[in-house]
Amino acid sequence: MRDTTSVEDSMTDTRTVSSDAPAADNGTKGEKADKKQERVASLWSDAWYDLRRNPIFLIGAFLVLCMLVISAVPGLFTSTNPFAGGVCQLNDSLKPPSGAHWFGFDVQGCDIYSRTIYAARNSIIVGVLTTSLVLFVGGALGLLAGWVGGFTDTILSRVTEIFFAIPLLLGGMLIMSGRQGNAVTVSIVMATLGWPQIFRIMRSSVLQNKNNDYVVAARALGAGTLRITLRHILPNAVAPVIVVGAISLGVYIGAEATLSYLGIGVQPPQISWGLMISDAKDRFLQAPHVLLFPAAALSITVLAFIMVGDAVRDALDPKLR
């Protein structure tokens, strides 16, 4: 009986250990999963999680994607090339929309639908190129001024104030006046006048982050200036810059249309929504469709980029969580 009891006790102990082992393993796996989730979680991952569930962002991103595709390959959306010879016939001048020509014809007898499609390219190029230049120049100078400080910060801040005193549209009108404009020229001019805003935002963000504990710890561990700047300062300071850049992209598209409307932006024979609106303004009462469709395309594009920018701002701003 004594031997049997000892055998049974040992069997019971064995079963107990074997039954507890998976539980311990599951607990270990759960801890590893939690640690993995904590390691993956960040400002950017949380922002992307919120953006995917934001209908404003999804609608705006869809419209932006459509405009990017239209500007890249306009031939997929229309078989008529507005730059080809003989496509504009004065006999078709101001004809209203029809099944064959969805947007009708303009004053010169050109198909408005094909011109609206091809005009998206210049507007998107101006918006994307201007925003890229502004982010690069303003962001780099703001990072330099905020991180280095001292005399460098003072000089760059004074230069920024000089450019800040020049309004974007007025300065663009003065610089572009008398010049043969195209999408690249307009982008360079607007970037020259628009970078101070990004400079100030980046400089302010760097000043807020440069004295944080993780920067001090990295410096104490012997990390170099370049490593601290690229691995610690820049990733934590760039979020507000991206938000402003996303919103400003639509603003730059509207500014290009304004300059083209005034006759000092994109010039014929190139096509721009601003040029189309300028050509149609005198015929609005006689043929409203000539003005309606390019103006609607411009408004939808600007609104789409602003919607994306607002959604990104809400996702990256911890105060709104």
Side-chain angles (χ1 to χ4, degrees):
M1 293 294 293
R2 182 177 300 172
D3 295 339
T4 305
T5 304
S6 61
V7 171
E8 289 178 354
D9 292 341
S10 62
M11 292 177 62
T12 304
D13 294 338
T14 303
R15 285 195 299 267
T16 304
V17 172
S18 62
S19 62
D20 291 342
D25 293 340
N26 292 335
T28 303
K29 291 180 181 179
E31 292 178 358
K32 291 182 179 179
D34 293 339
K35 291 181 180 179
K36 184 176 180 181
Q37 291 179 356
E38 292 177 358
R39 185 168 58 253
V40 172
S42 65
L43 174 65
W44 302 103
S45 61
D46 292 343
W48 176 238
Y49 179 85
D50 293 339
L51 289 175
R52 287 181 299 174
R53 289 157 178 79
N54 189 340
I56 295 179
F57 173 78
L58 295 178
I59 296 173
F62 174 76
L63 293 175
V64 168
L65 180 62
C66 290
M67 290 301 173
L68 292 176
V69 174
I70 289 174
S71 62
V73 281
L76 293 178
F77 300 89
T78 177
S79 59
T80 303
N81 186 352
F83 299 104
V87 295
C88 299
Q89 300 293 331
L90 289 177
N91 294 332
D92 297 327
S93 178
L94 300 180
K95 284 186 177 180
S98 62
H101 302 277
W102 296 349
F103 292 179
F105 294 89
D106 62 8
V107 178
Q108 302 297 327
C110 302
D111 182 64
I112 297 177
Y113 173 75
S114 62
R115 289 176 63 83
T116 302
I117 293 295
Y118 274 83
R121 174 172 296 178
N122 279 325
S123 298
I124 297 298
I125 288 176
V126 168
V128 173
L129 182 57
T130 303
T131 303
S132 301
L133 292 174
V134 165
L135 290 177
F136 178 77
V137 176
L141 294 179
L143 179 62
L144 177 64
W147 178 245
V148 176
F151 180 75
T152 302
D153 184 18
T154 302
I155 294 298
L156 290 176
S157 297
R158 299 296 81 78
V159 173
T160 303
E161 291 174 358
I162 295 174
F163 280 90
F164 241 122
I166 306 174
L168 179 63
L169 288 178
L170 180 58
M173 291 169 59
L174 293 175
I175 297 175
M176 293 296 299
S177 180
R179 298 179 181 271
Q180 186 67 26
N182 53 47
V184 177
T185 305
V186 174
S187 299
I188 294 175
V189 170
M190 289 198 295
T192 302
L193 300 172
W195 66 268
Q197 181 185 21
I198 299 298
F199 170 87
R200 285 193 169 184
I201 295 173
M202 175 61 85
R203 175 181 174 274
S204 175
S205 185
V206 171
L207 290 175
Q208 292 176 0
N209 288 276
K210 65 182 295 185
N211 294 321
N212 285 340
D213 293 339
Y214 58 85
V215 177
V216 176
R219 188 184 293 111
L221 292 173
T225 301
L226 182 61
R227 179 179 178 83
I228 294 175
T229 303
L230 298 181
R231 295 292 300 273
H232 300 285
I233 297 295
L234 184 59
N236 290 282
V238 76
V241 174
I242 293 177
V243 171
V244 175
I247 297 176
S248 298
L249 203 153
V251 175
Y252 291 132
I253 292 177
E256 178 276 325
T258 302
L259 294 176
S260 299
Y261 176 85
L262 297 174
I264 53 178
V266 177
Q267 301 293 322
Q270 301 182 69
I271 305 175
S272 168
W273 288 327
L275 281 175
M276 297 178 65
I277 294 172
S278 179
D279 294 337
K281 66 179 185 299
D282 296 330
R283 304 282 182 172
F284 176 68
L285 296 179
Q286 180 182 358
H289 65 277
V290 180
L291 176 63
L292 175 62
F293 293 108
L298 174 63
S299 301
I300 291 173
T301 303
V302 173
L303 177 62
F305 281 106
I306 292 178
M307 289 172 63
V308 172
D310 286 341
V312 172
R313 179 198 60 193
D314 295 342
L316 291 178
D317 190 352
K319 296 179 181 179
L320 300 177
R321 294 182 178 279

